[in-house]
Amino acid sequence: MPSRRLQRLHLPRPDATGWAGFHAIGRWFRGLPLLLAAAAMLAACGSAGTAPVTTPVRHQPNPLDIPSAERPYLLDVLTGFPQEVPLERHEAIEDAWRVLFQESDIESARQTAARLLEEDPGFAPAQVLAAQVDFIEGHYEPAVRRLQPLGEALPGYTASQLLLGRAAEKLGDVPLAYAAFRSLATRNSLAFQRTGELHPRALEILYNRLNEDLKRGDLAAAEGNLASLQSWGPSELVTLEAARNVAVAQGDSAAELRSVKALAARRPDDLDLLERRSELEMTVGDPGAGLEIIQNLAARHPNDPELAEKLKAAKFRWRLTLLPQAVQQVAAKPELDRADVAVLLYWLVPNVRYSRPTAGKIATDVLDHPRQEEIVRVVNLGLMEVDPTLHRFSPGSSLRRGPALRVVLRTLA
């Protein structure tokens, strides 16, 4: 007797023979998919408490959000690196950079950089890779801190310097950005372009920093900024002005004269510059040139009383330059003693030098003095006095304002 399962599924009887049996079996197989689908639905309904099985989906990292304007600053980290890199490290750093920019896997790049720096803290490409990660995430200060030492040690390292320049620019440090780009200007077109664009602003900022240094009295910092200005733009007006300001702060008249001459050549109609150049020429330069400058100015402005007075002073200074060197040294002294006054009277007033003495006074304390001739002439013309009791001139003692004025009046008389 047929089994009950076969009866429920309506299978053909086992004893079915001939074509009828085969057709019956075929119809049964054609209905099998429907039976299986129905069985699956019943199984699902009957096991509602069982969690369905799902196929795991691989996580795809988000693409890097890098503006197109920033992408040219993110070069392969080995670009321009001047040192040999062992093969294993070369492959590791290249793979990490490729994963970062092709697969947008920031974390893998960060971990590779950290591992390589742990193995060798001085491995510069790993520092650059870490700085690129910082830059992409908008952390510009850490990027600059990583790259600045590399810029000092490897100024021609293209991948490092290009990113340093851009990160510094993001922070508003234009001089640092300019310095980084400038180091690559002859070998990288982007760096060349950025150097030209930042040049005026970088010089202006350094000039302002230098003046602030001088206001604070930080001469060393001002000299450092001046050195950068003279390296970046030696003939620029801001550089010449800065050099003059530093020279004035240092009290270096010769250096100030060099700056003033260069500035006057660029600004030939600047009256203040020409007057200052005349003064400096008279003291530390060419007195003849100084006198000529002030003479020309006085001729161009005949009704200017200040220029007329400066012309007189220039003529006097020019006459001083014709005196013996020892007399010029006396004239340059900030304080004069009695012997110094006698020397200047003798050499600056021709009538004193050539007049015939009217007395024969003797000062015992000047017989061995190196300026004996000048002192004796002034004393015997009655322009300066000798102690009548001790017959002493006291050449080394200071001359007070009252006695000095009397000497001048006597000389004029």
Side-chain angles (χ1 to χ4, degrees), residues 256-399:
E256 184 187 359
L257 175 58
R258 289 193 295 270
S259 300
V260 167
K261 288 173 69 174
L263 285 168
R266 303 282 293 277
R267 300 204 296 257
D269 296 326
D270 191 320
L271 185 62
D272 292 334
L273 270 178
L274 291 173
E275 290 182 19
R276 182 56 180 161
R277 182 188 171 187
S278 174
E279 294 173 1
L280 292 168
E281 292 283 13
M282 299 300 299
T283 55
V284 295
D286 181 353
L291 178 60
E292 182 180 359
I293 290 170
I294 204 69
Q295 283 176 330
N296 292 336
L297 290 176
R300 286 160 52 186
H301 305 277
N303 298 322
D304 189 328
E306 284 190 32
L307 283 176
E309 289 298 320
K310 289 181 178 181
L311 178 57
K312 293 178 183 178
K315 289 180 178 179
F316 176 75
R317 289 182 178 180
W318 179 75
R319 284 197 296 269
L320 284 178
T321 64
L322 303 178
L323 299 175
Q325 186 64 35
V327 180
Q328 293 185 45
Q329 292 173 355
V330 171
K333 292 171 66 173
E335 296 182 6
L336 302 176
D337 57 29
R338 287 171 57 83
D340 294 334
V341 173
V343 168
L344 293 179
L345 287 174
Y346 180 90
W347 286 99
L348 293 177
V349 184
N351 286 350
V352 173
R353 191 159 65 253
Y354 299 116
S355 293
R356 185 183 298 276
T358 58
K361 296 179 181 180
I362 298 176
T364 58
D365 57 349
V366 301
L367 296 178
D368 296 325
H369 195 279
R371 313 309 305 190
Q372 176 190 357
E373 180 181 352
E374 292 95 331
I375 295 172
V376 169
R377 175 61 62 88
V378 169
V379 167
N380 285 288
L381 286 174
L383 301 179
M384 299 184 74
E385 299 173 348
V386 174
D387 187 306
T389 303
L390 302 176
H391 301 286
R392 298 179 64 85
F393 178 75
S394 302
S397 63
S398 60
L399 190 64

Side-chain angles (χ1 to χ4, degrees), residues 18-134:
W19 290 109
F22 283 115
H23 284 298
I25 293 174
R27 286 194 302 272
W28 181 82
F29 275 108
R30 284 195 297 271
L32 183 59
L34 294 175
L35 293 175
L36 292 176
M41 291 177 63
L42 291 175
C45 294
S47 58
T50 304
V53 178
T54 58
T55 302
V57 179
R58 183 182 176 185
H59 173 70
Q60 294 294 330
N62 293 325
L64 295 177
D65 186 16
I66 305 175
S68 58
E70 310 301 336
R71 186 62 184 83
Y73 299 94
L74 297 162
L75 302 183
D76 184 322
V77 293
L78 293 177
T79 304
F81 185 55
Q83 301 172 4
E84 291 291 333
V85 180
L87 180 59
E88 183 178 352
R89 284 187 189 174
H90 188 286
E91 292 178 348
I93 198 77
E94 285 282 271
D95 287 346
W97 189 85
R98 178 185 54 77
V99 166
L100 175 61
F101 287 99
Q102 293 184 9
E103 301 181 16
S104 305
D105 194 341
I106 291 180
E107 194 56 37
S108 292
R110 193 197 321 272
Q111 292 175 2
T112 300
R115 175 177 60 79
L116 291 173
L117 288 173
E118 185 177 356
E119 296 173 359
D120 181 5
F123 186 43
Q127 287 285 15
V128 175
L129 180 62
Q132 288 183 344
V133 171
D134 290 334

